[in-house]
Amino acid sequence: MELRSSLVDELILHFGESVFTQQTTADEITTLWVVKEKLVDVLSYLKNDHPIQFSMLYDLSAIDERSYAKKNNHHSTEFTLVYHLLSFKRNQFIRLKVALEGEFPKMSTITHLWVAANWYEREVFDMFGIQFEGHPHLKRILMPLTWEGHPLRKEHPARATEMGPFKLWDEKQDKEQHALQFQPEDWGLKRKSADTDYMFLNIGPQHPGTHGVLRIILQLDGEDIVDAVPDIGFHHRGAEKMGERQSWHTYIPYTDRIDYLGGVMNNLAYLLSVEKLAGITVPDRVKTARVMLCEFFRIASHLVWYGTFAQDLGQLSPVFYMFTDREKVFDIVEAITGGRMHPNWFRIGGLAQDLPKGWDKMVSEFVAYFPKQLREYHDMVMKNSIFKARTIGIGIYTLQEAIEWGVTGPGLRACGFEWDFRKKQPYSGYENFEFDIPTAQNGDCYDRAVVRVEEMWQSLRIIEQCLNNMPEGDYKSDHPLTTPPLKKHTMQDIETLITHFLGVSWGPVIPPGEAMSCIEATKGSNSYYLISDGNTSPYRVRVRTPSFPHMQMLPYISKGYTVADLLSILGSMDYVLADIDR
Amino acid sequence: MNETLTYILTIVGELFSLLTLAALLIWVERRMLALWQDRLGPNRAGPFGLFIVVADTLKLFFKEDWIPPFSEKAVFVIAPAILVITVLLSFTIIPFAPGILITDFNIGILFFLAMSSLGVYSIVLGGWASNNKYSLLGALRGASQMISYEVFMGLSLMGVVMLSGSFSLRDIVEAQRNHWFILLQPVGFVIFFIAGIAETHRLPFDIPEAESELVAGFHSEYSSMKFGMFFIGEYLGITLISAMVTTLFLGGWLGPEFLPPICWFALKTFAFILFFILLRASLPRPRYDQLMGYGWKVLLPVTLLNLLVTGAVVLLLKN
């Protein structure tokens, strides 16, 4: 607590009292409102000059405050920009907020401070219509270029039925067709240099190498990549907008589908945040069961990555072996949760059910079985000399660059930086487990693979500890906001019966406030920044996903390599399109 | 008259069995891959799923035969035919067994090399005529890969030619009565086989197709039986290279008496075909420039050295 206030004191000392107002939030993150004119200076100071060095722009998003239900003591009545910075040195977040006014407010860009701000600002522009002055390429990023309106503004309809029947008039069709015409200049690409005409090659949106609807426009000189421009948004399903009309409870299944290989791990990121808002502490059994399931999903996700990475490099067989083993993981997941890829099994304040009888037998069989497989895969893929030749020294970035671009997860650890939120900011009881943070030194495609492979070993270790030390107790916490609440009291006293009835029919009412969670997901750090105005559904859901900044980095790390290398780079990045587009 | 009839029968018989074999190889490859990849593979139609061959062929014939409007039509149509024609022509010089041989060229090996050089045209023209960027990239990769590996392929055979003193394949087989050339020319054998994989652009050297990078490479735009030609051509190519390896290094039809010569030939060839499939199941694909570097920096010097040593030894023994 002392450290935090000292940070605020220091900032006030440096910039003056009038610049900042502190806000209390449900999470532990220092939250400051900053005067609009001073924001860029403050950010620059925090990044470059402050001794703590908030070197990573963790997230940048906005809030449309215009229909906030309760009268809040916020400075903002129209739009708010929210900047989350992360200091690795002090292992601390800071949240800066700026109040903006006007129908389509303007703000100055921070792309000169963080390159990673580029896509985040474009996303805010796309979703809210907030202009960033000085931004190099401010155009829509997730929505189609011809889209009318900005979806996350409160006046934008959330359902198709609110928009009237869809008609594709001839002129509208012409307009859409015209928007699809490829003009290199629109993407900031040159048609030719002094001595060559470039070739433009679309990788995707339908392409066997992109693992989903991703389009990458390649500017090629022969087979050498001059520039690459990812075109994302094909998988955009408006998960953030949907959050605003789902109840706190019914939003859980939507989270499953964000990093669709991560399954319940997404539930955890969301629920940690909800539970902070609601003030729920969950029993140990819940924590441990959650950790176990999450680690199973980490293994499942990494197995998919392992197989498809090898397949991208032309090795056809590993993917079949790995998917077979992933099925074994899913067998356990299915026995415990009833679901496979999207089990939707965690609940506010607990789990959907208790662990079934015999779960420990299945898990212990897997723990005994899996190491042999991992060793075999290591011999088959990682030791293969062609595989090494294709990945070592390809797609290198340094630690400095990784932080600058907002890289988290295995991609960061492959640069030799031991940073894992499970260790650094433990959640859900990770502090009670023994495991190592695997790292590698060179930050190339091979090292990213090394880190992930080693992570599977560590996940297995964690699962084994869960197996041996699963605490007894309730699978739900005894809290009125637990949804659905424990039923054992409902038939005995009227109060619980009513809460149960309301919780199941309307959904729980989460007290006003805001909170952010941060978990080490399969692909990097995943956060849900939730704002409640005391209603049955969130006022704003912000999903910070790891793949978004990772994909933004692609042009930077693929320039100068060949088309074949691009596949190594994409494979080693381990992204999921739903995790980029949400 | 009788002789002519035998010729015609041999040609028709060979053509029929080769095309059937190529079609069967689709089944063999899918089943073997499945076996090695812990899967089932096609096992529903007929015994062991054998009728999948019929189904596949029918499917290829009845698919819409689409010629892209943006393509160079004449060349687009001719390209797949070139592949099948050149490969089939190469088979004319292969002695399957004593008496089962279409023509005993005294320059047999040279004819084989010439035909495989012509085969490059099908890829280059097919890729170029498709007028598609993926195809073009595939075609360019294919052209340089095949032309380079032809060099080592030719050179690696010269050792065999020196030992047997003939370009005729029948003489080469006869010259292996005492010991197979794989014993005398192990380096030549390995290099020829590697070059053979590159020539048939099979994994790990399937760089002109490289599914994860170039979709389907040079034949991206082909459909129906035109694609089928490339498809069959590839299996014929595998069979051809396997048959050549058998003939040149493993004593062709020679073998113990208890099996007829043609069986020995078929067995040896089939073993190599299986090896081709096993390679596909196990290895990743190198990058294009790595493949070229490997060829020119490793294979070429080794081949030349092999040639030099073989020549010197042959000279020594003569004196």
Side-chain angles (χ1 to χ4, degrees):
Chain A
M1 215 48 212
E2 197 174 315
L3 204 159
R4 258 170 242 144
S5 54
S6 79
L7 172 66
V8 177
D9 287 344
E10 214 174 319
L11 280 173
I12 289 176
L13 198 70
H14 199 269
F15 286 97
E17 186 95 44
S18 58
V19 177
F20 302 100
T21 321
Q22 191 163 4
Q23 183 192 340
T24 44
T25 54
D27 54 14
E28 66 287 355
I29 299 173
T30 312
T31 307
L32 294 174
W33 287 85
V34 184
V35 176
K36 183 183 168 190
E37 292 72 31
K38 282 282 177 195
L39 178 87
V40 179
D41 294 341
V42 174
L43 286 172
S44 166
Y45 172 72
L46 283 172
K47 185 192 176 196
N48 301 318
D49 306 324
H50 195 274
I52 296 183
Q53 283 176 352
F54 287 89
S55 49
M56 182 184 272
L57 176 71
Y58 183 75
D59 194 16
L60 195 173
S61 60
I63 307 160
D64 180 354
E65 306 268 9
R66 290 173 300 171
S67 47
Y68 197 89
K70 302 250 161 48
K71 173 130 179 61
N72 54 16
N73 48 359
H74 292 182
H75 289 241
S76 173
T77 50
E78 290 179 298
F79 291 94
T80 308
L81 277 178
V82 188
Y83 298 80
H84 284 97
L85 308 185
L86 173 60
S87 160
F88 292 104
K89 213 167 173 185
R90 277 293 169 79
N91 185 15
Q92 189 185 350
F93 281 104
I94 187 170
R95 178 185 296 135
L96 300 178
K97 290 176 150 193
V98 183
L100 300 178
E101 294 189 350
E103 180 74 11
F104 293 98
K106 290 196 163 100
M107 181 65 205
S108 43
T109 180
I110 57 160
T111 43
H112 57 283
L113 287 175
W114 280 280
V115 272
N118 190 320
W119 275 22
Y120 284 117
E121 287 184 352
R122 278 177 69 185
E123 191 192 353
V124 170
F125 163 71
D126 195 1
M127 294 294 145
F128 292 91
I130 296 172
Q131 302 274 346
F132 289 89
E133 288 164 330
H135 189 285
H137 194 62
L138 193 66
K139 64 174 216 174
R140 288 189 183 273
I141 185 167
L142 293 176
M143 304 302 288
L145 294 173
T146 51
W147 192 261
E148 282 162 23
H150 299 277
L152 283 178
R153 293 168 74 95
K154 291 288 174 184
E155 75 265 20
H156 194 280
R159 288 182 165 88
T161 45
E162 295 165 19
M163 297 174 77
F166 177 78
K167 292 256 167 52
L168 188 63
W169 307 111
D170 281 351
E171 47 191 286
K172 185 172 162 63
Q173 187 175 353
D174 291 346
K175 202 176 120 204
E176 298 281 349
Q177 294 279 4
H178 182 73
L180 292 176
Q181 294 276 324
F182 176 67
Q183 302 294 340
E185 293 79 14
D186 294 349
W187 302 85
L189 301 170
K190 285 202 191 100
R191 281 174 198 266
K192 53 179 148 191
S193 72
D195 44 37
T196 27
D197 284 358
Y198 295 125
M199 176 162 107
F200 295 97
L201 184 67
N202 272 317
I203 302 277
Q206 306 296 334
H207 188 280
T210 55
H211 305 299
V213 276
L214 167 71
R215 176 188 178 200
I216 301 167
I217 301 162
L218 291 182
Q219 186 184 26
L220 296 176
D221 180 6
E223 277 213 33
D224 296 333
I225 299 172
V226 180
D227 204 351
V229 182
D231 180 14
I232 62 168
F234 295 98
H235 212 306
H236 180 68
R237 295 170 296 187
E240 294 182 4
K241 185 78 174 174
M242 280 195 251
E244 294 173 14
R245 64 173 170 83
Q246 293 294 328
S247 78
W248 293 94
H249 175 63
T250 56
Y251 187 60
I252 301 174
Y254 289 90
T255 63
D256 267 339
R257 287 149 180 83
I258 291 198
D259 166 10
Y260 52 70
L261 299 178
V264 293
M265 210 185 278
N266 299 286
N267 299 167
L268 182 64
Y270 168 68
L271 291 172
L272 284 176
S273 192
V274 177
E275 284 160 9
K276 273 184 201 169
L277 279 173
I280 302 173
T281 44
V282 297
D284 284 346
R285 186 173 176 83
V286 174
K287 284 185 179 173
T288 316
R290 282 178 174 180
V291 165
M292 185 173 79
L293 264 291
C294 285
E295 293 307 319
F296 268 123
F297 268 100
R298 192 184 309 278
I299 290 179
S301 168
H302 281 7
L303 280 174
V304 173
W305 156 81
Y306 211 174
T308 52
F309 188 29
Q311 198 185 28
D312 281 345
L313 301 182
Q315 205 172 9
L316 296 182
S317 297
V319 71
F320 292 104
Y321 309 138
M322 287 157 189
F323 269 60
T324 309
D325 280 346
R326 178 170 173 253
E327 282 307 308
K328 292 195 164 48
V329 174
F330 277 159
D331 283 347
I332 298 172
V333 170
E334 193 176 1
I336 294 178
T337 69
R340 281 161 44 86
M341 275 178 77
H342 306 134
N344 171 32
W345 195 59
F346 296 168
R347 294 288 182 272
I348 302 173
L351 308 168
Q353 304 110 4
D354 204 353
L355 292 170
K357 274 185 196 139
W359 68 272
D360 41 348
K361 187 165 166 285
M362 292 188 86
V363 174
S364 63
E365 274 170 11
F366 181 79
V367 169
Y369 159 84
F370 196 52
K372 191 178 125 266
Q373 301 298 106
L374 270 182
R375 258 175 242 125
E376 191 184 329
Y377 300 154
H378 194 266
D379 292 345
M380 184 169 22
V381 181
M382 301 299 287
K383 282 190 181 170
N384 186 306
S385 56
I386 300 180
F387 181 85
K388 283 184 180 169
R390 287 291 305 275
T391 51
I392 290 179
I394 305 294
I396 297 185
Y397 49 78
T398 64
L399 177 60
Q400 185 61 36
E401 290 165 331
I403 292 173
E404 196 71 20
W405 284 92
V407 174
T408 50
L412 184 64
R413 293 191 280 276
C415 301
F417 189 33
E418 210 178 280
W419 188 272
D420 188 318
F421 280 99
R422 289 175 293 174
K423 278 268 195 234
K424 300 288 177 181
Q425 301 187 1
Y427 51 91
S428 194
Y430 268 109
E431 63 274 17
N432 304 324
F433 291 93
E434 258 178 46
F435 62 99
D436 301 326
I437 309 175
T439 56
Q441 297 308 319
N442 303 319
D444 58 9
C445 293
Y446 188 75
D447 279 7
R448 293 196 273 280
V450 168
V451 169
R452 287 203 184 85
V453 171
E454 188 53 35
E455 271 185 19
M456 285 195 266
W457 284 104
Q458 299 303 329
S459 292
L460 205 61
R461 259 176 90 185
I462 298 175
I463 290 171
E464 201 172 359
Q465 292 168 48
C466 290
L467 174 69
N468 297 331
N469 307 307
M470 183 63 72
E472 292 300 319
D474 276 336
Y475 66 96
K476 270 180 188 174
S477 75
D478 202 358
H479 188 283
L481 287 174
T482 301
T483 313
L486 276 174
K487 220 169 170 180
K488 61 186 177 195
H489 308 298
T490 49
M491 292 305 166
Q492 285 149 31
D493 67 289
I494 187 76
E495 267 314 311
T496 354
L497 181 64
I498 289 173
T499 337
H500 186 271
F501 178 71
L502 292 181
V504 171
S505 52
W506 287 348
V509 174
I510 301 291
E514 57 184 79
M516 186 177 83
S517 62
C518 183
I519 69 158
E520 188 68 37
T522 56
K523 292 161 183 63
S525 48
N526 182 8
S527 290
Y528 281 72
Y529 173 49
L530 301 176
I531 295 174
S532 167
D533 60 347
N535 254 317
T536 48
S537 50
Y539 182 74
R540 168 91 170 96
V541 180
R542 164 67 188 166
V543 192
R544 191 271 182 200
T545 53
S547 301
F548 186 78
H550 292 176
M551 185 49 72
Q552 180 174 201
M553 198 182 187
L554 179 77
Y556 184 72
I557 51 175
S558 57
K559 273 177 202 170
Y561 294 105
T562 65
V563 179
D565 291 329
L566 180 79
L567 271 297
S568 313
I569 295 174
L570 283 177
S572 74
M573 196 186 272
D574 187 25
Y575 58 91
V576 153
L577 261 302
D579 200 39
I580 298 177
D581 296 343
R582 285 152 284 140
Chain B
M1 185 59 208
N2 227 353
E3 211 169 291
T4 324
L5 198 67
T6 326
Y7 261 128
I8 292 172
L9 277 180
T10 322
I11 292 171
V12 172
E14 219 173 273
L15 191 65
F16 175 77
S17 44
L18 279 174
L19 288 178
T20 318
L21 181 71
L24 263 179
L25 279 183
I26 301 173
W27 175 80
V28 172
E29 167 149 47
R30 289 177 66 180
R31 287 292 286 191
M32 291 317 285
L33 275 182
L35 181 74
W36 283 316
Q37 294 174 340
D38 273 356
R39 299 183 287 126
L40 290 173
N43 66 348
R44 295 302 151 105
F48 308 107
L50 257 172
F51 292 171
I52 196 77
V53 177
V54 184
D56 269 347
T57 323
L58 281 178
K59 179 195 75 180
L60 278 177
F61 269 111
F62 288 107
K63 276 258 169 118
E64 186 189 353
D65 188 4
W66 190 63
I67 299 176
F70 45 80
S71 67
E72 195 70 31
K73 292 198 179 54
V75 185
F76 185 84
V77 174
I78 292 170
I82 296 178
L83 181 69
V84 178
I85 290 173
T86 52
V87 177
L88 282 178
L89 277 179
S90 304
F91 274 107
T92 55
I93 53 149
I94 289 181
F96 292 92
I100 310 184
L101 167 65
I102 293 174
T103 168
D104 182 19
F105 260 144
N106 56 0
I107 51 153
I109 288 184
L110 293 182
F111 181 75
F112 161 75
L113 292 174
M115 281 301 124
S116 77
S117 302
L118 279 179
V120 180
Y121 279 103
S122 79
I123 287 183
V124 179
L125 294 179
W128 173 78
S130 300
N131 205 359
N132 170 314
K133 290 172 187 172
Y134 289 116
S135 305
L136 185 67
L137 281 178
L140 287 176
R141 286 175 173 195
S144 34
Q145 168 182 336
M146 290 172 77
I147 290 172
S148 312
Y149 275 73
E150 217 125 78
V151 175
F152 325 125
M153 189 183 235
L155 286 176
S156 64
L157 293 183
M158 289 309 120
V160 173
V161 174
M162 280 184 208
L163 289 172
S164 61
S166 168
F167 278 108
S168 152
L169 290 177
R170 193 163 64 177
D171 295 348
I172 291 176
V173 174
E174 290 296 342
Q176 297 181 68
R177 285 227 177 258
N178 293 328
H179 32 243
W180 294 352
F181 283 157
I182 189 173
L183 298 174
L184 302 177
Q185 280 289 310
V187 181
F189 162 74
V190 171
I191 293 174
F192 179 77
F193 192 62
I194 293 176
I197 301 166
E199 279 296 301
T200 48
H201 43 88
R202 290 274 302 179
L203 253 173
F205 297 154
D206 69 336
I207 292 169
E209 294 165 46
E211 197 208 347
S212 53
E213 297 158 30
L214 298 183
V215 190
F218 65 92
H219 61 59
S220 296
E221 294 288 353
Y222 281 90
S223 60
S224 184
M225 210 46 213
K226 292 199 190 63
F227 165 73
M229 293 281 232
F230 279 124
F231 199 45
I232 296 290
E234 181 178 320
Y235 287 107
L236 284 175
I238 297 173
T239 318
L240 175 66
I241 297 294
S242 305
M244 282 302 283
V245 172
T246 309
T247 313
L248 293 169
F249 295 98
L250 292 178
W253 71 74
L254 299 173
E257 291 276 314
F258 61 87
L259 278 181
I262 182 77
C263 285
W264 280 115
F265 186 87
L267 272 179
K268 294 174 193 171
T269 308
F270 193 66
F272 274 97
I273 292 175
L274 281 184
F275 190 64
F276 263 101
I277 298 173
L278 182 60
L279 276 180
R280 178 168 174 203
S282 50
L283 288 181
R285 107 172 45 88
R287 206 172 52 217
Y288 163 71
D289 57 305
Q290 288 167 342
L291 178 75
M292 298 301 275
Y294 178 65
W296 290 105
K297 289 181 195 152
V298 181
L299 290 188
L300 184 66
V302 173
T303 321
L304 289 176
L305 204 68
N306 181 46
L307 206 59
L308 204 69
V309 172
T310 315
V313 172
V314 168
L315 262 181
L316 256 172
L317 289 182
K318 242 185 195 168
N319 294 344

